[in-house]
Amino acid sequence: MTTRDGSALTRRLDRILKGHAWFVYLFFYLPILVLIVFSFNESRFFTWEALSLRWYRQMFANDNLMAALWASLQVAAVSTVISTALGTAAALALERYKRFLGKRTFDALLYLPVIIPDVTMAAMLLVFFTSLGRQLSITTIVLSHIAFNISFVSIVVRARLANLDPALEEAAADLYAGRWQAFRKITLPLIMPGVLGGALLALTLSLDDVVITQFVKGPDTLPTFVFGLIKRGVTPEINAVSTLMLTASVVLVLGSLALQRRN
Amino acid sequence: MTTAAVGIKGVTKRFGDVVAVDHIDLEIADGEFFSLLGPSGCGKTTTLRMIAGLEYPTEGSITIHGEEMGLRPPNKRPVNTVFQSYALFPHMTVTGNVAFGLQMQKISEDETRRRVGEAIDLVRLSGMENRRPGMLSGGQQQRVALARALVNRPEVLLLDEPLGALDLKLRQAMQLELKEIQREVGITFVYVTHDQEEALTMSDRIAVMNEGQLLQVAPSEEIYERPNTRFVAEFIGETNLISGTVVEPGIVKLADGRLVKARTHSGAGTAVTLNLRPEKIDLHHTEESVPEHFNKLSGTIVRRLYFGDSLFYEVDFGHSIVDAREENRPGRERFAEGAPIIAAFHPDSAEALTE
């Protein structure tokens, strides 16, 4: 009797949990779905008129928007390359060298940008740049993005390094490889999925960032431009821009996950 | 006199406050199969890593064929290592792994191909050339690690518990094979293990280590038959340790007053421990059948265990309990639990140890 009661209860619980999961998905994705659908709507208002690429055409014709997109891509590309190199180096230093002066402090501080609120980081950077007498420009945006991306890259790369047998590098040295050769032939290929995963994450974060960029910007990036548009009222053009950004982010995040999972 | 393949002089290694290797001196001859044997943490692996250049001595010097190694990095030393975890490069094929050392040394492609082929043949992995380590069994990975090291024709091959991860049957097969390969290539092997049986069957000479110190360096047989300390006697195989006092050279008085003939190395009055292996003790019903000059001690069987190939007895001598092992052969007498017996052993089988 008890087992039948138990299994009936389990079945009901199962149904409730499944229903709940669907509800959560709906909650997450319904707004996105609405946004995507209306980006293809002919009408300016939230009533369905006809399928149209009008807002996408208007978006590509908007010079300011295109300038912002171009700025975004430049910032993302440069900050990703530099933060990936620095983040990987930091991960190697922390994972491979048992002790060096200030290691523990460095270890703790490295993750600060991940935990502190964006606004705090943004204010810090702004104060830092102005106190140096630096003109706010695309360079300050790039420097800021590098600053927070290093942390994310090194977290991802360290996870990969931690699973790497240190004896592999010793074996390479034992087999006549110099340090650089050992790194290039053994360590780097083996942590490459982590490095690429970290790079894609950095790219995504850079392309999406509003708060920090808003504080230290010279020119608008795409997210800050969209943020500016919203203040003047929602137009379906924003739906089109958002849909494009969303697609790019999803592709990058999926790519990052796939690389991190690959053996 | 030829120079030793490996010379270790006054080497000490400290990690912070911990002394891992404590002032050891050792010479390993060319072409020798030499084992470093001891419990975990005894300093054997650290010693091996210092020869490889993966650690540097805090004090002392290490030479390879007379050449001082000093602070020379591992890639500049004429030695190769088979790591305990194998440390095969997972992103390379068997061929890629075996060829790595030759490529790093800029050996020509033709020669590399030829030598890699030979090495893979030597460890009987033909047909596996294009597999990655992840697709190989433990035993096959072990062979790749061996081929990857041997292909470089090192002056000394260092092996760090290479068979530790294999199951018993495979381990025994690989022991024989390793020994065969060593004979075939004639390279000096320095072999680290905590398995005394493995060390005994494979080695020309064994160094027993404990707490960073070398306790005894001798051929396998001598290590087993003539251990120089209680630690070595107990670590290698099973044994009985019986305390007593030297009465005169060759005679030891046991704690209960009985006198036995033994191999002594110290003067009258010194406290000693007799090392007596279970298989050196013969059990008899009466004294008549015991050869003349043998020691004879009367006792009682308290326990008998059947091992198949042998019978194991615990004998109570009133004062101490001693283990005896008798081969299970036709015609051998068997003794029941509770039976009074005479335990006999040759004086040479009882070594009086002072340490």
Side-chain angles (χ1 to χ4, degrees), chain B residues 24 31 67 87 116 121 132 175 182 216 296 319:
Chain B
I24 64 170
E67 209 174 323
V116 167
D121 278 349
R132 301 233 172 149
Q175 284 173 11
Q182 195 259 343
Q216 189 170 10
K296 307 174 194 68
H319 183 263

Side-chain angles (χ1 to χ4, degrees), chain B residues 284-286 298-301 335-342:
Chain B
H284 299 261
H285 281 300
T286 56
S298 57
T300 316
I301 304 279
F335 304 90
E337 287 180 2
I341 49 87
I342 303 294

